[in-house]
Amino acid sequence: MSLLQLAEHAVFDDTDEAGVILDTRQSVYLSLNVTATCILQVALRHDTADEVIARLRDRFAATDETLRAGLDSLTAELGRRALLATATRRESR
């Protein structure tokens, strides 16, 4: 199970580097910048926060703390907008 899973009503499109998530319940788009898109792509493919941070470290010149803060921020925003599956889990720090 990947670290993040989108809700069934959330459709993610990342064709132009910067991504968009469509909430099909409300017909509302959430635009993601390039960094958030990359974080989401990686979090959808890996099982733990440590794996996600390791993969992001290869792409960004940032500290692990900064990368984790970005992951936490994105997760919180997607959760606030009810775009994550209820089964999404987070690895404790």
Side-chain angles (χ1 to χ4, degrees):
M1 177 189 287
S2 61
L3 180 66
L4 295 183
Q5 294 179 329
L6 294 176
E8 289 184 18
H9 58 269
V11 178
F12 177 49
D13 180 11
D14 62 349
T15 56
D16 294 327
E17 287 189 21
V20 175
I21 300 174
L22 170 64
D23 182 340
T24 60
R25 297 172 309 168
Q26 301 176 3
S27 297
V28 174
Y29 284 95
L30 172 64
S31 295
L32 302 175
N33 65 25
V34 174
T35 303
T37 299
C38 182
I39 292 170
L40 181 57
Q41 289 169 328
V42 173
L44 291 171
R45 282 185 284 209
H46 296 282
D47 295 336
T48 68
D50 288 339
E51 289 174 336
V52 171
I53 299 305
R55 299 299 176 264
L56 293 174
R57 195 180 308 125
D58 295 337
R59 297 183 181 189
F60 298 103
T63 66
D64 286 4
E65 293 82 17
T66 299
L67 296 171
R68 189 172 300 273
L71 174 61
D72 290 344
S73 177
L74 177 63
T75 302
E77 183 64 18
L78 295 177
R80 185 180 74 73
R81 294 176 180 259
L83 295 172
L84 293 176
T86 56
T88 293
R89 62 185 165 77
R90 291 297 313 268
E91 177 184 83
S92 62
R93 294 181 186 178

